[in-house]
Amino acid sequence: MKRDETSSAPSPVAHAPALSAAESSWLSAIITSSTDAIISKTLDGIIASWNPAAERVFGYTPQEMIGKSIRLLIPADRQQEEDEILATIQAGKTISNFETVRLRKDGSELHIMVTVSPIHDADGRIVGASKIVRDISREHENQERLRQSEAQFKALADNIPQLAWMSDPEGHIFWYNKRWYEYTGADEASTLGHGWRSVHHPEHEERATQHFLKSLKAGEVWEDTFPLRGRNGKFRWFLSRAHPIRGQDGNIQMWFGTNTDITDQKQREERIQLLMGEVNHRAKNMLTLVQAIARQTMASGENFMGRFTERMRSLASSQDLLVSSGWRGARVEDIMKSQLSHLDDFIGTRIVLEGPHVRLNSAAAQSLGMALHELATNAGKYGALSNDTGKVDIRWNVRQDEGVNRFEICWTESGGPPVTVPDRRGFGSTVIERMTRIAFGYPVKLDFAPEGLHWHLISVDDRVFESDFVAEEASSSPADLSAPARPSAPAPAPASGQRRVLVVEDEAIIAIDMAAALEDAGFSVIGPVGSVFEAMQLLDEKPCDCAVLDINLAGETSAPVASRLLADGIPFVTVSGNTPESTGDEFSQSPFLSKPIITSKLLAKLDQLVPAPAASVS
């Protein structure tokens, strides 16, 4: 039995003088008028008196209760309480403010607070007990509502996904929900007050703290994003908000705040931004590519609209393949079918295709596709496919040289009209020679043999393959698919005083177009090349006065080249389909041009970096 207080002090009634009639009447009036139930009982629990308040509280009349056992009011599961009460009274002790449950006449439960005291006779012997009963049902209901409210708040606060907290008007936190402790692994003592700073990222702590204190001072809603350290030591990003809670007088009594984990959302946003940047980059590159094809087609003196339209269709076919693979390259046989679709009736008869399954990366696939288109166009107009008997043999392979896989492909024509070396080289020749050389990193062999044209391409290494491509078989000593090539004339040495510019651009057509524009402006072009490895080789072999760098090459960036140029004191212009803000530190000091490139702007930037030599006066 729980008691607020028990006392062994003797009852003052034991030695009190006999009451006068007036005093007895006054005492009776007090008992009768009391709002608390006052009941007396014998030591065996038989009720001896029952005041009007007892009747109001329990619903029984005095006639119904006097002479009956007090146990009538006690629920079956609490009968032991009466045993304990009687034992305490017989020991001369008082039970004070004991909260318990009793039964009304209608059987409903009643929450009461009872004080039970021993009754002494004139000789001081304990002859019974008096009990004062107060109905505390309303207080109990209020307490129960409060407990339910607290339980509901705790259930809500501890089960919301957010970390939640409360602080005083000065920002000292005095409460966290369970989620906070589960996430941070911190104990209560270490994070109350301003201890929350211990789980903040050091790079954000000062800023976030000052912002929070500024909002407290202004009494304004606070919102911020910053990372918090979890119990595993890793940081996650949170969106944090706090609202002031004001009293009836309008003054802030406390702040209620939450921290919402937005790491996944932030990562999604970053992926979307990255995707949008990539789309922007690809779109600008495509515009620059179309611009270069149009400019080179026009410069070649061909039927512009007809040839430009054909080349756009070839480019579109390559794009369809790359899009269908999620820009994860294309298989060589698919490239063949795409670019030779207008010659589909000849495949298997006059056009022989033979080679293993090989998947090239996007840049290599696109360049190979355009080269095949130009070769097929020339074969249909002037070569083996321009008569009824000629044939084209197309074979490709993966060969291994010194442990490195290299892609190899040959186009061999036979049975067509006798071949002669063309008097002039148009854009088609540029595509099948220079463009593929840039994309595959190795000189192309092109032989105009009288019996038929022979074109042989091999990659400098395995960079042209998609990253997860595994060759079915790679011969360590394959048969040479190429025919002897006529020696090419060495590149002319730059004229005296001519500015030498290194061009690094992995999109071959763009590189060729850029090189042509620079040469027309009087520059000596070194390259162009499409990889860091080739650019570094050229810097070792040939001096240059300036450079033009595309940032994003196939599977890498030109940052190492930029660092080398900076170290050597060689100025350069940065070109990219991305924004200047997305470039690295290596490119921050160089002029930036966004694709598609306006030739006049590129030349103006280079003139600022390396002024043209003054013209000599004779």
Side-chain angles (χ1 to χ4, degrees), residues 77-97:
D77 60 347
R78 291 179 177 268
Q79 289 293 324
Q80 80 283 357
E81 290 182 358
E82 180 63 12
D83 297 332
E84 295 175 6
I85 290 172
L86 292 175
T88 301
I89 292 300
Q90 290 173 352
K93 297 179 180 179
T94 298
I95 302 168
S96 300
N97 301 325

Side-chain angles (χ1 to χ4, degrees), residues 29 133 144 159 236 343 361 545 587:
V133 178
E144 186 61 28
N159 289 284
R236 293 183 66 85
L343 302 172
N361 64 30
D545 302 304
F587 305 96

Side-chain angles (χ1 to χ4, degrees), residues 408-597:
E408 182 178 30
I409 184 170
C410 287
W411 174 293
T412 303
E413 299 183 21
S414 62
V419 176
T420 58
V421 178
D423 296 331
R424 57 180 293 279
R425 299 292 183 94
F427 180 55
S429 296
T430 299
V431 169
I432 64 177
E433 289 185 272
R434 294 187 65 189
M435 187 190 77
T436 48
R437 180 255 176 273
I438 294 170
F440 288 80
Y442 206 77
V444 172
K445 294 181 181 180
L446 181 62
D447 183 34
F448 294 95
E451 63 273 14
L453 180 140
H454 181 86
W455 175 79
H456 175 241
L457 168 68
I458 187 169
S459 68
V460 67
D461 53 27
D462 60 1
R463 77 186 65 171
V464 298
F465 300 118
E466 191 56 46
S467 59
D468 58 353
F469 168 71
V470 178
E472 295 177 355
E473 290 185 12
S475 174
S476 58
S477 57
D480 188 359
L481 300 180
S482 65
R486 303 175 189 274
S488 58
S496 176
Q498 193 175 25
R499 291 170 292 176
R500 297 159 298 190
V501 55
L502 170 66
V503 175
V504 182
E505 165 64 63
D506 66 322
E507 196 68 67
I509 292 292
I510 298 173
I512 292 169
D513 184 59
M514 188 187 301
L518 292 170
E519 288 170 349
D520 290 344
F523 285 87
S524 173
V525 175
I526 301 173
V529 293
S531 70
V532 171
F533 175 76
E534 294 171 284
M536 292 298 199
Q537 277 191 323
L538 287 180
L539 287 174
D540 289 336
E541 297 170 358
K542 300 180 180 181
C544 68
D545 302 304
C546 55
V548 180
L549 302 184
D550 181 19
I551 296 178
N552 294 297
L553 307 177
E556 59 183 351
T557 74
S558 60
V561 183
S563 297
R564 168 76 177 271
L565 294 172
L566 290 172
D568 293 347
I570 300 173
F572 60 91
V573 175
T574 300
V575 297
S576 177
N578 291 326
T579 60
E581 294 77 19
S582 62
T583 62
D585 294 338
E586 299 88 351
F587 305 96
S588 61
Q589 301 176 28
S590 69
F592 180 90
L593 289 177
S594 179
K595 292 181 179 180
I597 301 164

Side-chain angles (χ1 to χ4, degrees), residues 284-351:
K284 288 183 177 179
N285 254 8
M286 183 55 61
L287 289 172
T288 307
L289 182 61
V290 171
Q291 178 190 65
I293 293 174
R295 191 152 44 202
Q296 292 299 312
T297 301
M298 183 175 291
S300 68
E302 302 171 279
N303 171 20
F304 175 75
M305 282 308 299
R307 293 297 288 126
F308 179 72
T309 301
E310 290 175 5
R311 285 166 179 153
M312 286 299 98
R313 286 174 181 165
S314 170
L315 182 61
S317 296
S318 295
Q319 293 296 304
D320 288 342
L321 284 179
L322 296 176
V323 169
S324 66
S325 70
W327 283 90
R328 293 185 55 79
R331 297 195 310 173
V332 173
E333 53 264 47
D334 293 335
I335 299 172
M336 296 287 177
K337 293 175 182 178
S338 171
Q339 297 300 332
L340 305 179
S341 60
H342 59 296
L343 302 172
D344 189 57
D345 291 343
F346 291 165
I347 294 177
T349 55
R350 298 181 63 188
I351 299 177

Side-chain angles (χ1 to χ4, degrees), residues 2-3 15 83 113 135 161 163 197 214 238 244 269 284 307 325 361 367 428 430 438 477 508 517 529:
K2 297 180 181 179
R3 303 177 180 83
H15 305 290
D83 297 332
M113 178 185 289
D135 183 354
L163 317 183
R197 299 177 68 167
K214 181 179 178 181
F238 285 82
E269 291 174 352
K284 288 183 177 179
R307 293 297 288 126
S325 70
N361 64 30
S367 296
T430 299
I438 294 170
S477 57
V529 293

